Amino acid sequence: MSDTFGIGRSIEPAQALPQQAWRVDNTMELRPDELLVDVKVVSVNLVSFNEIREEARDIDRLLCHRVLEIIQERGKFHNPVTNTGGSFYGVVAQMGSEYPNHYGLKVGDEVASLTSLTITPLRLERILAVDYDCAQLTVEGQAILFATSPVVKQSTDIPLQVALAAMDEAGVAICTNHIVERGQSVLVLGAGGRSGLLSGYGARDKLGSSGCLVGVVRNAAHRDIVERYGLYDEVLSLNATDVQRLCTQTDPAFTSRFDVVVNCINSVSTEVASLVAVKPRGTIYFATLGCDYKFAGLTAEGIGKQVSIIPYTGFMDGHAEYTLNLLRRYPQMQDAIQQEFAGSQWHRLDYQREARAEGCNETESVNTSGYIFRSSQSKAALRQALKVARYTSNVMIYGESGVGKEIIARVIHQNSDRKSFPMIKINCAAIPENLLESELFGYEKGSFTGASAKGKMGLWEAAQGGTLFLDEVGELPLSFQAKLLRAIQEKEIVRVGGINPIKVDVRIVAATNRDLAAMVKEGAFREDLYYRLNVYPITVLPLRQRRQDIAPLAEHFVERYNREFQLDKVLSRQALNFLENQPFRGNIRELQNLIQRLMIITDYQVIEIRDVLAALSYDKKEPAEQSLSGTRTLATSAQPESGTLKDMLSRHEESILRDCRQKCGSTRKMAKLLGISQPSVVRKLRQYGIGGDPKEG
């Protein structure tokens, strides 16, 4: 069956769409329905490029290192901080035998991909140059496009730099053109940016000489530049993020004036500007991913303004061809985009993929506030936590029980400006429903039977100035969620039995092991609360999906319990290798408990595989008579075993062999695990009548 959407390329998790996958297979072995392209230029999404540029401090080598690091971690260029990628230009190298070839391509054709790099398996061998002004990289590498991946042939009459820049935002021009009707008044927020220009020309193409087209820019200097394009009938200079000014100072040139508002500002906090400017029953189109159209919908409901909201649309049929034709029909549009690159200069270099390993040991354990890791997945989660720590945004941490969500929350708090103030943890699943309000918000004296005569401060108030960690937030009853939402929105609480609101400045970090989006659909979790909490999501993968972390975590717990129990034990390399292949459904918590058990039950300094097997057997429903072979014994009952020492040792040996056979499946693996020869394993299995004829593979 044809893998039209590239699902077979997803590695973590398997069988996911490539966009959703943390890591994809970027081996360049062509599958039947795929297209192989030699990549020449990568055009990086501006939000992603600016984030990487800031992290690299404009140092070429560090910027290239980070780009290649993301690709190595994920198999695609999918920035985990901004959740964006980009596009690329290249030359068709090979077609699979079942590739549908909807675009009439042939080997050697120059093409621009219209598919985001967040989906595209990509492998770069080297980065040859960086252009900071147009966010483009000259590279040597290859990419895989799927049967459904849209592409466009490169036009020789439009400069490559301009075409790639336009293609990165191509959907906004045709979408704006479809939304706008002749004779309407249209406002473009962020008129001086790339998407603002494309939206403006898309609107002008529909309006012609009718209606009114107005642009908004940040300041007077930008206004002077945009006015030179001759595109807009009027250009306004104002701060679209200044909500207080927009809502309190009525400006007839702006307020409720426009039939259509196109928001091209790639950041939150501009939704209110769109709502203020649009007419009742007008249309708002969010042309970037930076705006929260769901928040805009909730705000419109709150102020009683009926509007139609159209979210970002990345792809529309014919959008690339439409944008290229706009560039041809409006030469000044090309000039405007080129003006963006005026004075840009390629930084020539030759940064090879192999070079990234120099001075960058990815197997080195890092300990940040107890965050022990070695895997690239955990490194990415830590980077996200450190990135968001600098801001005040609410954070939602997703992950199974025991993966370390609280540690991520602690990293965020300890690296924020609030680190001098308390971090208060609230386990939402542990507080009875009838006590939730009084525990979180506190109560006034005499407010209910049994209340303290002095009243009590709630946990929310105790976190003043700091961080409030809402653990297991998915367990909150619906009846309380509305009160929680109000506390977050208004930044104030009212104690039980009180009437005076108390202003509380806290940063919310929440965590859950449940699928909140699914709970919203089922009506088990409030949608408005979900969007308030889910501003910046971080997912911590289960331990079985980041096995490289098991060994450093195990060694960390051994060191911890050596200090605590005044011991001097170590795990053998074979035992560590064995632990790395365990499922650990209980994640880090299960691993920690196992190590603590091993420290107690083993009699020798070096903990071997046989000790691990014996310790694991304790979790079985019938754990009796699980121990070590040889001279090591393990008491599993308060009563001594019956029979001679030889009988007891035989029973223990048989038990260990059965466990090992179940886990390994072959005598070769069993021999390696137990540290004996394969013939000895075969002989002992036959001696105890275990498993019939064992496999030798």
Side-chain angles (χ1 to χ4, degrees):
M1 181 178 177
S2 178
D3 183 14
T4 305
F5 300 103
I7 294 174
R9 286 274 180 178
S10 296
I11 297 176
E12 295 177 10
Q15 300 305 311
L17 287 169
Q19 170 74 29
Q20 301 168 311
W22 170 260
R23 186 160 63 96
V24 301
D25 176 7
N26 67 340
T27 55
M28 293 296 121
E29 297 177 4
L30 195 66
R31 300 180 185 184
D33 55 352
E34 295 177 340
L35 183 73
L36 179 66
V37 180
D38 289 330
V39 181
K40 304 299 182 184
V41 178
V42 169
S43 182
V44 184
N45 174 272
L46 284 173
V47 177
S48 177
F49 187 80
N50 289 334
E51 188 277 326
I52 295 171
R53 182 175 179 175
E54 177 185 350
E55 185 176 335
R57 305 186 301 280
D58 282 351
I59 299 173
D60 295 344
R61 178 180 57 81
L62 294 180
L63 185 142
C64 294
H65 170 87
R66 179 63 185 133
V67 169
L68 294 178
E69 183 180 51
I70 291 173
I71 295 171
Q72 177 164 314
E73 287 176 353
R74 310 202 64 176
K76 54 182 179 174
F77 187 59
H78 190 167
N79 189 331
V81 175
T82 64
N83 202 32
T84 54
S87 56
F88 72 84
Y89 154 81
V91 178
V92 176
Q94 188 179 350
M95 292 185 196
S97 59
E98 299 176 16
Y99 179 69
N101 200 8
H102 300 302
Y103 302 95
L105 303 177
K106 61 181 183 299
V107 172
D109 279 349
E110 298 180 14
V111 296
S113 171
L114 304 180
T115 303
S116 171
L117 290 176
T118 62
I119 301 172
T120 308
L122 178 68
R123 187 177 183 87
L124 298 185
E125 297 300 326
R126 58 181 60 187
I127 299 176
L128 302 173
V130 179
D131 191 320
Y132 283 88
D133 291 287
C134 59
Q136 293 178 3
L137 313 173
T138 302
V139 301
E140 289 182 3
Q142 291 183 314
I144 293 289
L145 294 178
F146 308 125
T148 55
S149 301
V151 298
V152 62
K153 292 183 181 179
Q154 172 57 23
S155 301
T156 58
D157 59 334
I158 300 173
L160 176 62
Q161 193 179 47
V162 173
L164 278 178
M167 287 302 100
D168 197 37
E169 311 284 351
V172 304
I174 192 170
C175 192
T176 302
N177 183 266
H178 286 182
I179 293 168
V180 170
E181 300 292 341
R182 286 185 59 81
Q184 287 185 327
S185 56
V186 180
L187 177 72
V188 178
L189 295 173
R194 195 180 301 172
S195 60
L197 284 169
L198 290 169
S199 295
Y201 278 102
R204 177 58 71 193
D205 192 42
K206 175 65 75 66
L207 291 173
S209 58
S210 72
C212 178
L213 181 59
V214 178
V216 168
V217 294
R218 286 195 304 268
N219 52 49
H222 282 86
R223 182 182 61 202
D224 293 341
I225 294 172
V226 172
E227 283 178 341
R228 296 175 200 159
Y229 303 154
L231 170 63
Y232 295 98
D233 298 308
E234 183 181 3
V235 181
L236 303 176
S237 171
L238 59 85
N239 182 359
T241 64
D242 189 347
V243 174
Q244 183 175 4
R245 178 183 179 278
L246 290 168
C247 294
T248 58
Q249 298 182 20
T250 304
D251 184 350
F254 186 79
T255 305
S256 295
R257 172 185 169 186
F258 301 95
D259 298 296
V260 177
V261 174
V262 183
N263 190 329
C264 298
I265 303 176
N266 208 349
S267 66
V268 294
S269 303
T270 61
E271 299 88 355
V272 173
S274 304
L275 288 166
V276 170
V278 73
K279 292 178 179 179
R281 294 182 174 79
T283 300
I284 300 174
Y285 166 43
F286 290 114
T288 72
L289 290 169
C291 294
D292 187 344
Y293 73 91
K294 300 182 183 71
F295 169 70
L298 291 170
T299 305
E301 178 185 351
I303 64 176
K305 196 171 192 178
Q306 180 179 335
V307 294
S308 296
I309 297 176
I310 300 175
Y312 169 80
T313 304
F315 177 84
M316 294 183 69
D317 288 335
H319 80 264
E321 293 79 3
Y322 175 78
T323 302
L324 292 174
N325 284 330
L326 273 184
L327 289 168
R328 294 186 183 101
R329 288 191 287 114
Y330 295 95
Q332 65 270 35
M333 183 179 176
Q334 291 191 42
D335 295 338
I337 293 177
Q338 284 182 315
Q339 183 67 34
E340 185 181 352
F341 310 140
S344 70
Q345 185 176 5
W346 287 95
H347 290 222
R348 302 291 172 184
L349 48 102
D350 187 355
Y351 194 91
Q352 299 184 39
R353 181 166 60 90
E354 293 77 13
R356 77 178 290 281
E358 297 176 6
C360 180
N361 183 6
E362 289 221 334
T363 63
E364 180 182 0
S365 295
V366 180
N367 187 334
T368 303
S369 300
Y371 190 69
I372 311 298
F373 71 92
R374 184 175 289 167
S375 69
S376 60
Q377 298 94 325
S378 294
K379 183 177 181 180
L382 177 61
R383 183 181 291 110
Q384 287 182 276
L386 294 174
K387 178 73 175 179
V388 77
R390 294 179 290 170
Y391 306 98
T392 58
S393 304
N394 294 340
V395 179
M396 176 64 76
I397 306 171
Y398 294 94
E400 296 178 3
S401 295
V403 294
K405 299 188 290 294
E406 185 176 349
I407 294 176
I408 287 288
R410 193 181 308 131
V411 168
I412 293 171
H413 174 72
Q414 292 179 349
N415 289 276
S416 72
D417 293 337
R418 297 173 178 264
K419 60 186 175 184
S420 300
F421 297 91
M423 173 179 165
I424 302 295
K425 176 185 176 181
I426 298 173
N427 189 330
C428 301
I431 304 175
E433 183 175 351
N434 62 330
L435 296 179
L436 266 172
E437 188 171 2
S438 60
E439 287 294 314
L440 267 65
F441 300 150
Y443 57 83
E444 299 290 354
K445 60 181 180 179
S447 55
F448 55 86
T449 303
S452 169
K454 296 181 180 179
K456 179 184 176 183
M457 176 189 292
L459 295 172
W460 201 289
E461 195 175 345
Q464 181 73 265
T467 301
L468 192 67
F469 178 45
L470 301 176
D471 196 14
E472 304 300 345
V473 72
E475 306 303 322
L476 283 173
L478 267 173
S479 58
F480 185 75
Q481 290 176 22
K483 297 177 182 179
L484 181 67
L485 176 66
R486 183 187 179 280
I488 295 172
Q489 286 184 160
E490 305 298 330
K491 295 186 182 297
E492 64 182 26
I493 55 103
V494 177
R495 291 181 179 179
V496 175
I499 57 174
N500 297 318
I502 301 170
K503 286 290 183 182
V504 183
D505 174 27
V506 296
R507 195 249 185 99
I508 306 295
V509 177
T512 183
N513 59 6
R514 303 185 66 179
D515 185 347
L516 291 188
M519 291 179 66
V520 168
K521 292 180 180 179
E522 295 165 0
F525 201 86
R526 287 181 64 104
E527 185 176 22
D528 44 8
L529 178 59
Y530 170 73
Y531 290 122
R532 277 292 179 186
L533 296 175
N534 200 54
V535 175
Y536 190 92
I538 298 175
T539 298
V540 184
L541 295 176
L543 203 53
R544 60 187 174 276
Q545 292 184 21
R546 46 186 176 102
R547 296 186 182 277
Q548 287 178 302
D549 292 341
I550 293 175
L553 281 166
E555 291 172 332
H556 166 74
F557 291 132
V558 167
E559 291 176 10
R560 170 179 169 177
Y561 291 119
N562 272 333
R563 291 192 302 269
E564 188 173 328
F565 300 154
Q566 297 183 350
L567 299 171
D568 184 24
K569 296 185 179 182
V570 295
L571 286 160
S572 71
R573 172 47 53 189
Q574 292 79 8
L576 281 172
N577 291 340
F578 180 72
L579 287 172
E580 286 179 333
N581 290 299
Q582 298 308 302
F584 288 116
R585 297 292 173 183
N587 294 297
I588 298 174
R589 191 176 294 122
E590 180 186 352
L591 173 62
Q592 181 178 356
N593 292 343
L594 176 64
I595 296 299
Q596 185 174 5
R597 183 185 302 165
L598 282 167
M599 301 294 284
I600 295 170
I601 67 175
T602 52
D603 297 323
Y604 291 83
Q605 181 184 15
V606 179
I607 300 172
E608 299 287 358
I609 293 176
R610 288 167 291 184
D611 303 312
V612 177
L613 281 168
L616 287 171
S617 71
Y618 269 43
D619 292 325
K620 293 187 175 182
K621 293 180 180 179
E622 299 176 2
E625 300 182 358
Q626 304 289 337
S627 184
L628 315 177
S629 61
T631 59
R632 299 189 183 191
T633 61
L634 174 64
T636 60
S637 172
Q639 299 297 323
E641 296 183 64
S642 59
T644 65
L645 176 63
K646 182 178 180 181
D647 292 336
M648 288 187 284
L649 291 176
S650 294
R651 286 196 294 271
H652 293 316
E653 184 176 58
E654 179 182 353
S655 176
I656 289 173
L657 286 167
R658 289 186 182 279
D659 264 354
C660 192
R661 175 58 189 275
Q662 184 178 359
K663 293 178 183 296
C664 296
S666 73
T667 56
R668 182 179 294 118
K669 291 179 181 177
M670 290 179 65
K672 183 177 180 181
L673 186 65
L674 296 172
I676 59 178
S677 67
Q678 187 178 14
S680 296
V681 171
V682 173
R683 178 176 54 79
K684 287 179 178 293
L685 291 177
R686 288 174 178 165
Q687 175 185 341
Y688 293 110
I690 299 174
D693 293 328
K695 296 179 181 178
E696 296 185 1

